[in-house]
Amino acid sequence: MRIVDVCEVTKPISSPIRNAYIDFSKMTASLVAVVTDVERDGRRVVGYGFNSNGRYGQGGLIRERFRDRILQADPQGVLDETGDNLCPHKLWAAMMANEKPGGHGERSVAVGTLDMAIWDATAKIAGKPLFRLLAERKGRTADPRVFVYAAGGYYYPGKDDGALRAEMRGYLDRGYTVVKMKIGGAPIDEDRRRIEAVLEEIGSQAQLAVDANGRFDLETGIAYARMLRQYPLFWYEEVGDPLDYALQAALSEFYPGPMATGENLFSHQDARNLLRYGGMRPDRDWLQFDCALSYGLVEYLRTLDVLQQFGWSPSRCIPHGGHQMSLNIAAGLGLGGNESYPDLFQPYGGFPDGVRVEGGYITMPELPGIGFEGKSDLIKVMRDLAE
Ligand SMILES: [Mg+2]
């Protein structure tokens, strides 16, 4: 068996929303397909992947470097020990040949996108859902129930508190028990008013998380911490620059509640530095590393090893991104849950058709691979690329 082609297309996923740092008016995403010569159930096995929202499409890097390294690798040299399936770890090593360490840039997004497609193909060839394959390989029991929270509360032109409350009410109506809103894109008094409006709307039905998207310097982060600590928030997210570990550590002196960060750390080395120097507290804080931005699941497994070395449970991880890849990792490897964007970044985000949020949890369907075939709008654009 072998990989016969790797395809990429860069697609727009633009919308008028903005957070404290960027707007999404020109946002794009890479969709990739890893085409094999294997057949299952009368159909050629094709693995699919896409990059997580918030970083742009990676067509240049994929076409200039990573696609060729996959196609030029010795086909026997990238199989697992049985010789009957792909080995994502060997394919990862092939993609990363002649890449210097550190300075991760966005090649981690290109590799993460291809890695998603490789795992999708691998689980399809094995004939089982990826979360079951991962649990088996780790010798654990999969748990198909996964906690999810609704991320939204973006700024957009003309959006007032009434619209923000209606948005949050909509998430509660759809079964979510934790909702998230953006902060830091308005003056602090305005953000306080927005937060109080949402807290009044959700009452005791749900909890609220807030996300500053790395906007604040230390002084502003502390000013917000003093304001936010009066409220029973689910978490205070990505306060300062993602690589400013000293800032993160200083904040824990001003904010006793849970904090969350990590979506813009793209390697296990950066994750290790966060745990070494960021003052994160394993009894209450949350880690949001997103494999689809950070060299994929092969690298994420290394990150989970780092967590273990530092005494962190995988259940403290709730990845950024809202994609089915992280749902599989959560169900298979015992993460604490996954982000979801009920109204955004379609058709890539969300759940297979028919999956409902109940009491803040979804149940994974038993679909081979990552489960893209169960989401009709998504699998249509995927098959347009390669089948
Ligand atoms: Mg965030």
Side-chain angles (χ1 to χ4, degrees), residues 136-185:
E136 254 170 45
R137 288 187 175 182
K138 279 280 175 189
R140 3 177 334 126
T141 308
D143 182 355
R145 281 185 85 233
V146 180
F147 166 74
V148 289
Y149 72 93
Y154 285 80
Y155 300 95
Y156 65 81
K159 183 176 183 179
D160 61 12
D161 291 352
L164 179 62
R165 289 174 68 139
E167 178 192 348
M168 297 297 162
R169 173 58 50 189
Y171 301 145
L172 269 50
D173 291 345
R174 276 175 274 181
Y176 290 95
T177 57
V178 175
V179 298
K180 188 168 89 181
M181 62 184 281
K182 299 301 183 183
I183 60 169

Side-chain angles (χ1 to χ4, degrees), residues 44-58:
R44 182 189 284 274
V45 171
V46 181
Y48 293 104
F50 50 85
N51 69 269
S52 208
N53 56 281
R55 299 277 162 173
Y56 296 86
Q58 300 292 320

